[in-house]
Amino acid sequence: MHDDRTLVEARLRRVLDERIRPAVYPESVPLEAAVWHAPGEPVPVAEGLAADVEPVTVGTRWGAPWGTSWFRVTGIVPEAWAGRTVEAVLDLGFDENMPGFQCEGLVYRPDGTPVKGLNPRNQWVRIGAPVRGGEEVRLHVEAASNPVIMGYRPFTPTPLGDRETAGGAPQYTLTRTDLAVLDETVWHLVTDLEVLGELMAELPVDAPRRWDILRAVERALDAVDLQDVNGTAQRARSRLTDVLAAPAVPSAHRISAVGHAHIDSAWLWPLRETVRKVARTAANMTALLDDEPEFVFAMSQAQQWAWVKEHRPEVWARVKKAVADGRFVPAGGMWVESDTNMPGSEAMARQFVHGKRFFLDEFGVENDEAWLPDTFGFAAGLPQIIKAAGSKYLLTQKISWSRTNSFPHHTFRWEGIDGTRIFTHFPPVDTYNCSMRGAEIAHAVRNFKDKGAARHSLAPTGWGDGGGGTTREMVAKAARLRDLEGSATVTWETPAAFFAQAEAENPEPPVWVGELYLELHRATLTSQAATKQGNRRSEHLLREAELWAATAAVRTGFPYPYEDLDRIWKTVLLHQFHDILPGSSIAWVHREARATYARIADELNGIVDAAQRALAGEGTLPLVFNGAPHPRSGVPAGGARPAGATGRTTREDRPGGGHLLDNGLLRVAVDARGLVDSVHDVEADRETVAPGRPGNLLQLHHDLPNMWDAWDVDAFYRNTVTDLTDADEVTPGDDGASVRIARTFGDSRVTQVLSLPPGEKRLVVDTEVDWHETEKFLKLAFPLDLHADRYASETQFGHFFRPTHTNTSWEAAKFEACNHRFLHLQEPDWGVAVVNDGTYGHDVTRTVRTDGGTTTTVRVSLLRAPRFPDPETDQGVHRFRHALVPGASLGDAVREGWRINLPERRLTGAGEVAPLVTVDRDSVVVTAVKLADDGSGDVVVRFHEAHGARARATLTAAFPVARVDVTDLLERPLADTPPPAVDEGRVTVRLRPFQLTTLRLKRA
């Protein structure tokens, strides 16, 4: 037989595009349209419906950036259409290639009932099936003119990312407002031909099945009269019946399709717009569930559900019904799909507490899975947090974006720092916006790395980010792929059903130990420094507010601010979303975030101050309150008393220029350039700084990644570096016992103060940068005279080790990594810690000197200056605090990391304040002391082993205790753990390395 394959395939493409698809709507009449442009921010639905509108015609430009326009379309269904299916087709100016990244609409009936969303791939509104003829049509569309931030030339700087700079030029052209007949036979023919054509293209050319499909398609095309597509569509469909009925082979890969619409809680749009994106999508999906009995839709992020409940009660009513029917599924059990690298221990725990509690309270549903398809890598401490929240599965997609190494599994058990293992799945379809195209399904089959051990994967299916979710076309394709020869089989299932089946099929999958590092988007650890500092400060203020309010409530009857703390926690958790905290959102988002963090700080400081004053009482005794989990300066953790004597620090001029600082524990030499060329540990008689490589060295790099400007830093940034060694001044600090350095570079200025706190073994580096650079990367370097092949990096509820070498491509790819409060490097008998109060990104490298010694250089990342999506990223004044701690053990690193983030608070009172709870083991760190969320008055204490060793510790409560329960993160007693014995308020616990434990103490 002659090979005419390419001829038939080309014929299929043209006939579909030019004849069959246009025949889906064979008849149409225009609707009359009118519009009202709302001034300012979006208005309530009732106001939009009642507004005075003006006529508008197709072809009219509309929509200032971030504006809202209320369109009204009216008309009469022609009598001649009686008995047919009729839809309104409303094109607001969509580009079908950009679902989710442009204008959108939500359709209402005149009474305010939401109908469905309008999106680039979802422009229809059903009027009747069938119609009687003569019906009046009246619809209202709340249309958002969200500008295109990332267009066909991505990463181009634009002022459109903030309403304050976006201007008022119309963004869109009204393209179609018609009433049209839907020919469902033609619509199904389109789907038949798409499914078969896409499947055919993925099969081997020499596969008999490919040629069976080709001949069936050819016969169907022969059956179509191109001048009467609608009259011959059924005849064409009949030619495809047999080829569509051929069943899949028994060994076919199985795909669980989950209806999905990944909606970033803020990214290229502000938070307020996400509220509307979620409402549009939820309206779409509840309507689709009504039409498609086998379809299942899952939505994550409790915050987004809460927005629907608060802002769109009519949509919420439909959502609640669909949840009760088991088809609109709460997924993930987190408040938002957060970043997991940078949130602190308690914050990561509270993501699950508030997320799971919302779904339990609203629906009685508890999620078994963490659902994080788009998060930029996963911290090594996360598995035990998932388990402690009562969940046992994790789904993500993003690791498939890694640029250097291909992750070796799609289904595996992920082991965290404490040994907890979580059953984890990466969908091999490699997208969280699957549209059921044949190429996607075939890629999932080919890509699946666990063949032989398993043959089941998940496909999150639907347009996200305001694209409207799953479409009826995707559902129709899935129906044809349910059991089709040559394809994987596709079934709509819930996440829970998938995980249960996948685990049963592959009960002993491979194990991956340690962080799931994304080899991409490394600059998200540094971009938008103010947002990151706001998060860090908020986390520690929340710790203090809970600690002091709980202590005051038990001791004095102070009113514990349950509602305020709940609200503030949810606000902080929202801002940990994986584009806000990582710094990859538009300027509007970060401008609002800075204001939000300032407001939160004021409110939390108010709570702390009120609680501490209640505890201190009236008096003139100077008190120091210690909110850190370790004693300091004679003040116990969680208590207050007068501070003890701490010694003194001296400063003297250095011959030839520079200064010497000495507090008896450390001697620090600062040269005339303001660089630190010696930090001598007096007790160990050991030099910290590598010879010939001064510390406190600011280094500036060019930083223009190949793409993803705010997200990425590419390895070639290291090829060029400028050491900032010229100083404008190096002078004594204001206290006479510190050194102040000022430098200028480019259009920026930096001021630093180097100090040695009396009685403390740390060099504190306070850095203020007035930053006005573009596409630059600023780092602060500490070259250490220390030989270490690995270093410890703090993560949630512990730390883990990364290598300092680059033996393999896996290690080389981690050229920028995340830490929380500390990094620690150690030789067997001596170590160094670098601690910070608000930075995350860093790198550690090592070289061998000519003298044979090893220089290990720690560099903390301070600032970047990408121009997309925020062209003014990080411009302005920033303040950082770091400390170098020579002679530090891992325990010292833990303690110093807490101290730099929780400064002492001072006020006067009547007498000392004893801690509410104490722990007698330094390695057992209390991360939360609070009252139980249920208002019972029980005291909840959360702690973990922080040194990576086994620990036996006694927790002592300074109040009568009737009972103690070991609980999960939601403060529910663990069924398989008996209550520990209590002896006069003392509870003894034994902990594995890094084990996380929550105790609930019932007050007697």
Side-chain angles (χ1 to χ4, degrees), residues 23-265:
V24 168
Y25 289 114
E27 300 177 59
S28 64
V29 296
L31 291 163
E32 292 187 5
V35 68
W36 172 68
H37 303 294
E41 286 295 279
V43 300
V45 173
E47 184 177 343
L49 295 175
D52 292 331
V53 293
E54 297 180 353
V56 66
T57 59
V58 167
T60 300
R61 298 284 292 171
W62 70 278
W66 307 113
T68 302
S69 298
W70 282 84
F71 289 93
R72 186 188 68 195
V73 293
T74 56
I76 303 294
V77 177
E79 298 283 355
W81 292 358
R84 305 173 77 178
T85 298
V86 175
E87 295 180 343
V89 182
L90 307 174
D91 186 344
L92 303 177
F94 297 124
D95 180 341
E96 290 190 0
N97 295 315
M98 289 188 181
F101 299 95
Q102 52 181 281
C103 60
E104 302 168 45
L106 181 55
V107 180
Y108 294 90
R109 296 190 179 95
D111 64 359
T113 302
V115 181
K116 65 182 295 292
L118 290 178
N119 311 94
R121 302 287 183 96
N122 205 332
Q123 302 174 20
W124 57 273
V125 183
R126 181 63 58 88
I127 301 301
V131 296
R132 299 186 310 276
E135 293 98 328
E136 179 182 358
V137 175
R138 186 183 184 92
L139 298 171
H140 298 260
V141 180
E142 180 192 21
S145 51
N146 302 331
V148 176
I149 304 295
M150 186 160 59
Y152 289 103
R153 288 190 61 204
F155 318 117
T156 301
T158 173
L160 292 172
D162 196 332
R163 187 161 197 161
E164 294 183 354
T165 59
Q171 300 292 294
Y172 298 100
T173 301
L174 187 64
T175 302
R176 186 176 184 183
T177 58
D178 284 348
L179 205 58
V181 172
L182 172 69
D183 188 325
E184 295 187 74
T185 301
V186 175
W187 185 87
H188 282 292
L189 176 60
V190 170
T191 308
D192 291 342
L193 290 172
E194 285 181 348
V195 167
L196 290 171
E198 291 166 4
L199 172 59
M200 179 171 60
E202 298 302 321
L203 294 171
V205 173
D206 59 356
R209 174 64 169 165
R210 180 162 182 160
W211 290 89
D212 289 345
I213 295 172
L214 185 81
R215 294 301 164 218
V217 167
E218 183 178 37
R219 290 191 294 271
L221 295 177
D222 289 343
V224 175
D225 182 342
L226 299 184
Q227 278 66 53
D228 184 17
V229 172
N230 300 90
T232 56
Q234 185 55 50
R235 184 172 66 194
R237 289 199 73 199
S238 68
R239 305 292 196 273
L240 302 173
T241 301
D242 291 343
V243 76
L244 284 169
V249 298
S251 61
H253 187 78
R254 293 182 293 131
I255 291 179
S256 293
V258 178
H260 185 51
H262 172 77
I263 301 178
D264 287 317
S265 289

Side-chain angles (χ1 to χ4, degrees), residues 701-723:
H701 296 268
H702 293 289
D703 180 24
L704 180 65
N706 288 343
M707 57 194 303
W708 298 108
D709 294 36
W711 295 257
D712 281 0
V713 56
D714 290 332
F716 55 72
Y717 89 92
R718 288 181 173 176
N719 294 350
T720 56
V721 60
T722 300
D723 292 343

